[in-house]
Amino acid sequence: MSDTKDATLTPEVRRLQQGMDEVWGNPKGLRALTVVNHTTVGLRFMVTGAVFFLIGGLLAMLIRTQLAFPDNDFMSPEIYNQVFTMHGTVMMFLFAIPILEGLAIYMIPKMIGARDLVCPRLTAFGYYCYLFGGIILFSSLLLEMAPASGWFMYTPLSSGEYSPGPGSDFWLLGITFVEISALSAGVELVVSILRTRTQGMALHKMPLFAWYILAMAVMIVVGFPPLILGSILLELERAAGMPFFEVAGGGDPVLWAHLFWLFGHPEVYIIFLPGAGIVSTLIPVFAGRPIVGYGWVVAAIIIMGFVSFGLWVHHMFTLGIPQLALAFFSAASMLVAIPTAIQIFAWLSTLWLGRPRMTLPMLWIIGFLIIFVLGGLTGVMLALVPFNWQVHDTHFVVAHMHYVLVGGMLFPLMAGLYYWLPQVSGRMPSERLGKWSFWLIFIGFNVTFLVMHWTGLLGMRRRVFTYDTAMGWDIYNLISSVGGFMMSAGVALLILDIALHFRFGRKAPQNPWGADTLEWAMPKPPTAYNFVSLPTVETRHPLWEKPDLSRTIYEGRHGLAHIDHGRRETWGSDALTGKLRETIHLPSNSWWPLFAALAIAAVCISLLVRVYWVGAVATLVAVVLLLRWSWENGAHPGKAPEASMAPSDPPLHYHTMNGPGVWCMSVSHLANGSLYLSLLFGWFYLWTVAPEWQMPDSSPLSMPMLVMGGAALTLGTFWLAKLVRRLRRGNDAGLGGGMYLAGGLGVLQSVLLMAVIWQAQLAPTETAHDATLLVALLYVLIHALLGATLCLLQGLRVGYGYVSAKVPMEPVVVLRFWYFHLVVYWSLFLAIWVLPTVLGGAS
Amino acid sequence: MRRLLSLTHPIHLVSGLTIWGIWFVAIYAGLSVACSVAPPEPESDMLTGINVGVGLATLVTTALLLWLAWASVAAGRKAELRRECYFAYISAGMFLFSAVSTLFVGYPIVFLPPCL
Amino acid sequence: MPLLGLLSGCAGEMSILDPAGPSASAQFWVWWAMFGFSMVVALVLFALWLYTFRRREQPKRTPREEQRIMLRWVIGGGILLPLASIVALLVLAAPTGRSMIPLPLPEGEAELIEVVGHQWWWEIRYPGENGEPDVVTANRLVMPAGEPVDFRLVSADVIHAFWIPRLGGKRDMVPGRHSVLRLEADVPGVFGAQCAEYCGAQHTNMLLHVEAMEREDYEAWLAERRAPRELQQGADEAQEAFGEHCAACHTVEGFPQELINDDMAHDIPGPDLTDIGSRPTLGAGVLPMEEGAIAYWLEHHQTLKPGNRMPPHNHIDTETLQDIGAWLETMEP
């Protein structure tokens, strides 16, 4: 193994490294808030996530204290209900997902040989959304007005009538805010993994961890929007009285359950997949051989990603859905056993064929295996409908989900923590203290939750604040509480260990574990730009096959080793083959992410305190800030010094028409499409299933105006497509005027849509039918307005010279937006006008 | 576009499961709508048109997926690049898994009434 | 059987492991079968996993041999093992759920009892001749033993779940819809039941006392309550106070209309009190029914069950509450 310290640094290389530091380095002081670098923001994500973990853990200890003895009055029922609701919410939304996102944000560019993620400002924006959303949500606990309807917020318990206080609003707004963060990370991780791998790293040569994160990111993108929609609808019900989930108005509380679990089940796998990714990374390293069955594992990841979207109803087995429908979901849930088992046996055979070393990270991996396998086995049991009917909503389920989540996520995360700690700090973890904390946590966990299965089988429900001694649950609860405190002691020791580590840990060698992936080929602690020069990698195990890579990278002997242009650059490569396609010019530090997130926080808070005019102003400000942010793109001088002129090979991405921006727009539309499909699902669901649904005899919407609006949209889209085709041929004559024309058509469509809404005289607070129509129309109206705005801004940018035949990328991005809107508009027309008219008012 | 249709393209890693997903949504939605529009008499237990319909959809989808699995193996045999062969074989496995899953998930129609 | 000896520790009125009906028994055996099988799988897997760390000497293997070993593990353990397990589960165990479907019986009809979930108590309604409920009670469910009973489940407010662990699985009570759950008790007995879906502040104290009786006892129990009744004379003050403070929300069959004070807000119905004296508990399982218990409950109900929907009675003096309590205790069929 060679070391970056062994590198021979010529004055030229030194100058290169200094230049890199200047261009990529993080500013100090207040300007540290502008940092967009993935290493820094990834660490911020993880540290914030760890703080929320401690808060969530504290809440767990309160719960265990309350349940330690029968008839305990340590907490009042109201406080207890807030505590368990917040424990679930904090752990799921503010700890598990963000900390894994943080890990992916930190690690992915380093593993695939890139210098940063593809949308650095989005990384920072995501972090601020997470931080502010988390603070808003958490503040409710300090104000003693926390949500108290359980972490899945079933309506009508969470609705205005049964939860009149602001608790539910805190949850809905805070969580939606945090989800914006998850979506931002999801989108850019997908595009980064597909498009910024270093030269030669074909799809089937990338590290397995990247496959896991790719699957996780796609799942976030598709899986989160249903809950965002649900939260918007429920908040509209609570704030404006639109009865989406209220039976009397034609809504249905079961719709909330569907929307929640459509998100909620994939979420479990969103949490598990990165954990499994860590396991798949560590096991080959400590077995000293490549993972066996790479292709099998990739197949298993993809199967998990898909099948996990077909399981959501297994959280709803007792809701009174016909048993045959339940059986479909039951069978699909059992199927997950197969990809899980494939991975477990691939890991086992890797160990079998290798020479496994027992190290501290490996200890956590073994803990993972034991706990996760047990959780998986009870998971298969729970998939069986008749058994599920017995143990659903008991402590058996509580035990099961802690086994899968703690086993599947926390243990691998700790393994990863100890594994990658030297990469972050340059020091080796302690063996002794680390082992102590492992055993305390491992034993404490099992003492708490193994017994809890039994408590559940004896009939103890979840979410009860106390129990009668006659039930015979006393001793088991006491054991669980003791185990819980043992686990806390382990966590305390772990924190101590990490704190001491940064002070006393002994210096780590370049590649302390003998790993195979690129993140070990950089100086420690890592530089902001990761690699001085970007290597060509055509193997799955670069550091095993070329042990001197660390040194040669550091000596600037590979690609993109220039900095005199002052740009942050990384490679853009073909999604499939890893062939070089462009040089991606990444934006630098910026205030816009922070400002935009602050504006959105203002929106949330004004909605919470129900001062709607402030909310409206703040929304406007947020939109303006986001557009202002987007203004500094492409050939804007603030972003790109002399970019429109600079030659480079491969070409800078905005000189091409298929750069990462185009990909980001497509992936965002995956999310947007998922939101739209959830809305359509809500419409059809309420139409066919809601008990009191009322469909008027004829549609209140004006068909001619809807069709005219659609015609304007269609014309605009085809016009834009024509402009882009001409641009592709290098012809930008009349581009600016053309953009204004498309924008004008967008404005026309918006006006027509407003007229439709005005003319329809909807009564959205009376019936769920009108409320859903209104939301659907507003959804397309927002798209129409945004489409128009983007075109008008493009016209302006053409005038400034930021967009031209030389810099042709942005119109392609805008065109994708219009295509999406076109499909949405006409399919929505079909769903809300044509079908009801053809089928009549039948409900 | 042609490139995407070739079974050696990695897009087919997910097309088998996509077909499975579409089938899954279709039978679940179809069952829900059928039960809300025209629920059969409880007396007929599982011997209803709905069960038969779901069963036929299941068999047709399974057959389609099996055929695609076979075609992927054939495409993998003929592939020139190692990468293409690799993806074709994994895709074949995915089609096979999807076929088995379809049959497995559809199986409960033989012992359960549709709407109770 | 030694296994059953071990299980005697599982007795408890809410225990799934002490089944008293065919559904619960099926679920009980399915559980132990799954448990046993899972334990074997898990222990073998853990042993193999740990064994890989113990082996020191590794034979030299060609890539071809490695490939063969890998395929053996991954196909055998990763595909065949789980596939065989879940096929067995789907074919053998999933059909046990059929017994909980309210299919038409070979002969006759199952007894139908309607259960309404309220925040945080149970209303039980027995349909009479014309299908309308003619016996209404609360927090005590009486059912015939040895025959299937269909429970028609509805909710008056939020989602609740009806669960008698020793008889079988739970089913949610969803506002706006009803669902029918079929359960059967093998022999007469007393069982615990509880709300299993979290339903708000006092979800914990939403318990139900279930009694299964022989058919003739059950019918006699119903007949007693169907018989026309007269209110006990000589408790005028208590009745007046009841009419003044309680009757807007609580029904007592035969209570004189003219005494009911309509001014009180009564948008939330309270339990029917017609046979309250015969119920084993108060407040959906908070207090055992004893002499003086009702009066105690009336005075302290917001401390005993904080947040419950009955307004506090601070404005009513203790003596009046005691009067009402004493009078209510006589409310037996």
Side-chain angles (χ1 to χ4, degrees):
Chain A
M1 288 291 152
S2 73
D3 204 314
T4 52
K5 292 182 201 76
D6 305 333
T8 44
L9 298 179
T10 61
E12 264 167 75
V13 175
R14 278 187 200 286
R15 235 184 356 261
L16 175 67
Q17 291 180 350
Q18 273 165 11
M20 285 273 182
D21 282 333
E22 270 165 37
V23 172
W24 286 86
N26 290 337
K28 295 261 180 308
L30 201 58
R31 293 190 65 85
L33 296 173
T34 65
V35 169
V36 296
N37 181 267
H38 78 107
T39 299
T40 312
V41 180
L43 285 175
R44 285 181 189 172
F45 257 105
M46 287 191 271
V47 170
T48 315
V51 170
F52 279 118
F53 170 71
L54 296 181
I55 293 170
L58 208 63
L59 295 172
M61 288 308 98
L62 294 177
I63 294 173
R64 278 321 323 167
T65 310
Q66 168 72 15
L67 293 182
F69 303 103
D71 297 318
N72 200 350
D73 58 358
F74 172 69
M75 275 187 279
S76 70
E78 293 97 278
I79 297 294
Y80 181 82
N81 294 342
Q82 294 183 16
V83 166
F84 78 69
T85 301
M86 285 298 281
H87 167 69
T89 307
V90 167
M91 286 302 199
M92 286 291 195
F93 293 98
L94 303 184
F95 162 60
I97 295 175
I99 203 167
L100 292 170
E101 281 163 15
L103 178 68
I105 286 171
Y106 181 90
M107 210 48 83
I108 280 296
K110 298 182 173 64
M111 280 190 156
I112 62 175
R115 288 195 179 131
D116 204 336
L117 289 170
V118 78
C119 316
R121 291 177 296 184
L122 200 58
T123 323
F125 176 67
Y127 174 71
Y128 290 123
C129 287
Y130 161 49
L131 181 68
F132 298 154
I135 291 175
I136 289 175
L137 189 57
F138 180 66
S139 66
S140 68
L141 201 60
L142 302 178
L143 299 169
E144 279 194 46
M145 42 173 81
S149 315
W151 80 275
F152 36 85
M153 296 290 284
Y154 270 5
T155 57
L157 184 60
S158 59
S159 65
E161 189 178 351
Y162 298 102
S163 294
S168 299
D169 303 316
F170 271 108
W171 193 96
L172 294 167
L173 295 164
I175 291 301
T176 305
F177 203 4
V178 174
E179 287 188 327
I180 297 175
S181 143
L183 279 180
S184 323
V187 169
E188 69 168 340
L189 283 168
V190 172
V191 180
S192 297
I193 293 173
L194 289 179
R195 291 288 273 106
T196 67
R197 298 193 306 271
T198 192
Q199 180 167 20
M201 192 184 273
L203 198 58
H204 63 298
K205 296 288 181 195
M206 67 181 186
L208 268 180
F209 187 73
W211 274 105
Y212 279 101
I213 298 299
L214 180 63
M216 168 195 94
V218 173
M219 289 178 70
I220 287 180
V221 167
V222 181
F224 275 50
L227 180 58
I228 294 184
L229 178 79
S231 302
I232 293 172
L233 298 186
L234 183 51
E235 190 53 39
L236 282 173
E237 179 179 302
R238 289 178 56 88
M242 295 159 94
F244 297 105
F245 307 109
E246 200 189 295
V247 175
D252 189 350
V254 180
L255 175 61
W256 168 266
H258 276 292
L259 289 174
F260 186 89
W261 291 117
L262 259 170
F263 145 84
H265 198 81
E267 195 227 29
V268 175
Y269 290 84
I270 289 169
I271 292 173
F272 168 65
L273 281 173
I278 296 172
V279 177
S280 287
T281 308
L282 267 60
I283 283 186
V285 171
F286 291 108
R289 57 153 295 132
I291 190 140
V292 296
Y294 178 96
W296 288 92
V297 176
V298 170
I301 297 169
I302 297 173
I303 292 173
M304 274 194 152
F306 263 83
V307 176
S308 67
F309 281 93
L311 314 181
W312 81 91
V313 170
H314 82 206
H315 299 266
M316 303 159 65
F317 277 170
T318 65
L319 265 170
I321 296 166
Q323 235 194 80
L324 182 58
L326 298 187
F328 295 152
F329 286 93
S330 163
S333 309
M334 294 176 191
L335 279 175
V336 178
I338 294 176
T340 315
I342 289 177
Q343 290 173 76
I344 286 176
F345 279 89
W347 294 328
L348 178 62
S349 43
T350 306
L351 291 174
W352 190 268
L353 294 171
R355 285 185 175 73
R357 283 178 287 160
M358 186 60 91
T359 55
L360 186 53
M362 222 35 201
L363 205 54
W364 286 96
I365 297 280
I366 289 175
F368 148 81
L369 176 90
I370 292 174
I371 293 174
F372 181 74
V373 165
L374 291 176
L377 288 167
T378 53
V380 177
M381 298 177 190
L382 283 166
L384 187 73
V385 176
F387 180 65
N388 183 292
W389 282 352
Q390 274 291 25
V391 291
H392 176 73
D393 271 333
T394 65
H395 271 72
F396 187 90
V397 169
V398 178
H400 158 73
M401 77 189 172
H402 283 89
Y403 263 81
V404 261
L405 291 173
V406 175
M409 181 266 172
L410 188 72
F411 274 71
L413 188 71
M414 290 303 138
L417 173 77
Y418 277 114
Y419 174 72
W420 279 305
L421 209 49
Q423 205 277 344
V424 178
S425 67
R427 293 168 186 275
M428 292 304 285
S430 79
E431 285 284 323
R432 184 169 306 159
L433 213 51
K435 273 189 184 141
W436 271 93
S437 85
F438 166 80
W439 284 112
L440 274 175
I441 294 178
F442 180 77
I443 295 171
F445 175 85
N446 283 295
V447 169
T448 311
F449 292 104
L450 201 59
V451 177
M452 202 180 278
H453 289 103
W454 192 252
T455 327
L457 289 169
L458 295 182
M460 182 159 168
R461 302 163 285 165
R462 70 196 284 193
R463 298 173 171 183
V464 290
F465 63 83
T466 193
Y467 50 92
D468 194 286
T469 184
M471 297 294 166
W473 304 330
D474 304 9
I475 183 68
Y476 308 114
N477 275 295
L478 186 62
I479 293 172
S480 285
S481 294
V482 170
F485 283 100
M486 203 165 152
M487 204 175 155
S488 307
V491 173
L493 211 57
L494 189 106
I495 295 168
L496 180 71
D497 187 24
I498 303 294
L500 293 177
H501 164 87
F502 281 92
R503 186 77 187 77
F504 299 108
R506 75 190 152 78
K507 286 270 181 265
Q510 176 67 29
N511 188 351
W513 314 112
D516 56 339
T517 39
L518 283 176
E519 79 272 22
W520 297 101
M522 58 184 70
K524 286 189 285 294
T527 45
Y529 47 87
N530 295 344
F531 308 100
V532 178
S533 59
L534 299 180
T536 302
V537 173
E538 282 166 347
T539 151
R540 286 177 193 153
H541 316 287
L543 293 196
W544 283 349
E545 294 184 14
K546 292 187 200 161
D548 61 344
L549 211 50
S550 320
R551 185 171 50 81
T552 54
I553 289 174
Y554 197 60
E555 288 171 358
R557 298 190 187 201
H558 302 274
L560 278 189
H562 309 282
I563 198 61
D564 28 340
H565 46 55
R567 291 191 295 262
R568 296 187 174 189
E569 286 184 345
T570 192
W571 269 336
S573 52
D574 185 82
L576 183 53
T577 60
K579 285 204 184 86
L580 280 196
R581 283 179 36 173
E582 63 265 286
T583 305
I584 296 172
H585 172 188
L586 297 166
S588 185
N589 297 336
S590 165
W591 284 104
W592 299 120
L594 175 63
F595 291 163
L598 278 173
I600 298 178
V603 176
C604 280
I605 292 170
S606 52
L607 291 180
L608 263 179
V609 295
R610 308 207 160 183
V611 187
Y612 294 121
W613 67 269
V614 177
V617 173
T619 309
L620 205 64
V621 172
V623 171
V624 169
L625 284 170
L626 287 168
L627 289 172
R628 179 65 190 79
W629 163 355
S630 80
W631 187 254
E632 286 183 21
N633 254 329
H636 186 278
K639 184 209 170 206
E642 303 163 63
S644 58
M645 297 299 118
S648 81
D649 179 44
L652 283 169
H653 72 274
Y654 32 74
H655 297 175
T656 72
M657 295 185 86
N658 193 21
V662 180
W663 285 67
C664 285
M665 182 50 88
S666 304
V667 178
S668 308
H669 279 319
L670 218 53
N672 199 347
S674 166
L675 187 80
Y676 170 65
L677 286 179
S678 308
L679 183 62
L680 272 192
F681 168 75
W683 166 256
F684 286 117
Y685 182 86
L686 291 179
W687 182 356
T688 48
V689 178
E692 308 276 327
W693 174 262
Q694 287 167 353
M695 190 72 116
D697 293 331
S698 64
S699 173
L701 307 180
S702 153
M703 195 270 279
M705 279 199 275
L706 278 174
V707 171
M708 279 193 292
L713 170 68
T714 313
L715 259 172
T717 313
F718 283 112
W719 174 244
L720 264 179
K722 191 175 141 94
L723 289 176
V724 169
R725 266 201 311 278
R726 276 169 49 188
L727 212 51
R728 211 176 279 281
R729 290 195 300 266
N731 178 0
D732 59 2
L735 183 62
M739 280 295 175
Y740 285 126
L741 179 60
L745 285 167
V747 172
L748 177 65
Q749 190 212 358
S750 313
V751 171
L752 282 165
L753 272 172
M754 287 186 220
V756 168
I757 296 172
W758 176 261
Q759 177 270 343
Q761 300 284 330
L762 297 173
T765 55
E766 304 288 318
T767 66
H769 170 267
D770 283 14
T772 316
L773 273 193
L774 182 63
V775 169
L777 289 171
L778 288 175
Y779 176 80
V780 279
L781 177 61
I782 289 171
H783 281 73
L785 285 169
L786 192 57
T789 313
L790 291 179
C791 281
L792 296 175
L793 286 175
Q794 282 295 302
L796 217 55
R797 290 173 72 80
V798 173
Y800 277 95
Y802 299 160
V803 174
S804 65
K806 271 197 172 150
V807 195
M809 197 177 81
E810 290 174 23
V812 187
V813 179
V814 175
L815 176 62
R816 296 241 161 157
F817 182 86
W818 278 67
Y819 275 143
F820 175 82
H821 182 34
L822 187 72
V823 174
V824 163
Y825 189 86
W826 286 115
S827 58
L828 195 69
F829 178 66
L830 197 71
I832 64 174
W833 197 89
V834 179
L835 278 182
T837 308
V838 173
L839 298 176
S843 59
Chain B
M1 207 53 213
R2 266 196 107 88
R3 212 164 56 110
L4 290 183
L5 283 178
S6 156
L7 284 167
T8 55
H9 193 278
I11 194 83
H12 294 291
L13 293 178
V14 296
S15 57
L17 286 162
T18 307
I19 294 171
W20 175 82
I22 293 169
W23 164 82
F24 188 81
V25 170
I27 59 163
Y28 174 55
L31 177 70
S32 308
V33 172
C35 285
S36 104
V37 176
E41 290 296 313
E43 281 78 12
S44 38
D45 206 340
M46 63 272 195
L47 306 171
T48 68
I50 299 177
N51 291 51
V52 172
V54 172
L56 285 178
T58 305
L59 291 177
V60 170
T61 312
T62 309
L64 172 71
L65 287 164
L66 284 175
W67 177 75
L68 282 165
W70 177 79
S72 288
V73 173
R77 286 234 177 93
K78 272 185 287 185
E80 284 157 19
L81 290 173
R82 208 183 123 67
R83 187 187 74 231
E84 292 183 339
C85 172
Y86 186 78
F87 285 127
Y89 281 148
I90 299 185
S91 300
M94 303 295 264
F95 283 121
L96 190 64
F97 176 86
S98 310
V100 173
S101 304
T102 309
L103 210 56
F104 184 75
V105 172
Y107 170 76
I109 54 159
V110 306
F111 65 86
L112 286 174
C115 305
L116 290 171
Chain C
M1 250 168 99
L3 189 65
L4 288 178
L6 186 96
L7 300 184
S8 59
C10 314
E13 59 173 300
M14 300 291 187
S15 178
I16 297 167
L17 301 179
D18 186 18
S23 294
S25 293
Q27 289 153 338
F28 170 84
W29 289 113
V30 165
W31 150 250
W32 282 113
M34 292 192 300
F35 173 75
F37 182 72
S38 302
M39 274 301 109
V40 173
V41 171
L43 292 177
V44 169
L45 197 59
F46 300 160
L48 281 173
W49 192 283
L50 292 175
Y51 174 66
T52 61
F53 287 87
R54 288 272 164 267
R55 292 173 316 151
R56 275 292 139 252
E57 287 310 306
Q58 275 278 24
K60 271 260 175 266
R61 294 193 187 92
T62 63
R64 216 184 168 73
E65 285 171 328
E66 292 199 334
Q67 178 79 1
R68 221 180 32 241
I69 293 173
M70 181 277 280
L71 284 180
R72 204 153 58 207
W73 281 123
V74 172
I75 294 180
I79 295 184
L80 296 180
L81 171 71
L83 194 63
S85 316
I86 62 178
V87 166
L89 206 55
L90 191 71
V91 174
L92 301 177
T96 55
R98 270 181 66 86
S99 63
M100 280 161 269
I101 302 178
L103 285 169
L105 295 174
E107 51 196 87
E109 277 184 28
E111 184 76 15
L112 185 75
I113 300 175
E114 187 172 83
V115 184
V116 188
H118 293 263
Q119 270 185 331
W120 293 279
W121 56 280
W122 306 89
E123 181 179 349
I124 319 292
R125 302 147 69 104
Y126 296 84
E129 297 294 311
N130 55 359
E132 290 295 303
D134 64 351
V135 171
V136 178
T137 179
N139 298 335
R140 180 198 192 192
L141 172 68
V142 172
M143 62 185 275
E147 58 177 283
V149 178
D150 283 352
F151 293 98
R152 189 176 184 277
L153 307 173
V154 288
S155 165
D157 35 51
V158 303
I159 301 177
H160 302 276
F162 173 74
W163 186 31
I164 314 175
R166 293 188 58 202
L167 297 192
K170 58 183 71 66
R171 181 68 62 83
D172 291 2
M173 313 165 108
V174 183
R177 30 179 100 194
H178 68 87
S179 69
V180 177
L181 177 69
R182 178 167 294 174
L183 292 174
E184 182 177 339
D186 290 332
V187 288
V190 174
F191 314 109
Q194 47 192 350
C195 173
E197 183 64 58
Y198 174 65
C199 56
Q202 282 296 337
H203 166 61
T204 305
N205 288 317
M206 186 164 165
L207 306 173
L208 175 63
H209 179 92
V210 179
E211 276 168 60
M213 303 176 171
E214 296 290 1
R215 183 81 209 178
E216 51 267 34
D217 297 338
Y218 170 71
E219 271 166 17
W221 184 88
L222 273 180
E224 252 181 3
R225 280 160 179 76
R226 284 191 176 125
R229 45 190 283 129
E230 277 168 32
L231 285 187
Q232 189 198 8
Q233 297 301 309
D236 296 346
E237 277 174 37
Q239 285 189 31
E240 257 170 53
F242 184 83
E244 173 76 22
H245 300 294
C246 320
C249 302
H250 293 281
T251 309
V252 167
E253 213 184 299
F255 190 78
Q257 279 296 320
E258 64 274 13
L259 289 182
I260 300 178
N261 169 13
D262 286 326
D263 295 343
M264 283 182 57
H266 55 283
D267 52 338
I268 303 171
D272 186 308
L273 300 179
T274 309
D275 68 350
I276 184 171
S278 69
R279 293 176 199 163
T281 67
L282 271 177
V286 174
L287 285 181
M289 182 68 87
E290 297 156 347
E291 211 182 319
I294 298 182
Y296 185 75
W297 164 255
L298 288 177
E299 206 170 349
H300 303 288
H301 67 97
Q302 282 299 350
T303 1
L304 292 165
K305 189 171 177 176
N308 82 70
R309 295 293 188 207
M310 182 155 71
H313 296 145
N314 304 335
H315 59 294
I316 310 173
D317 60 68
T318 312
E319 214 168 299
T320 312
L321 292 176
Q322 275 167 353
D323 272 0
I324 298 175
W327 176 67
L328 283 175
E329 272 169 24
T330 66
M331 293 281 126
E332 284 181 64

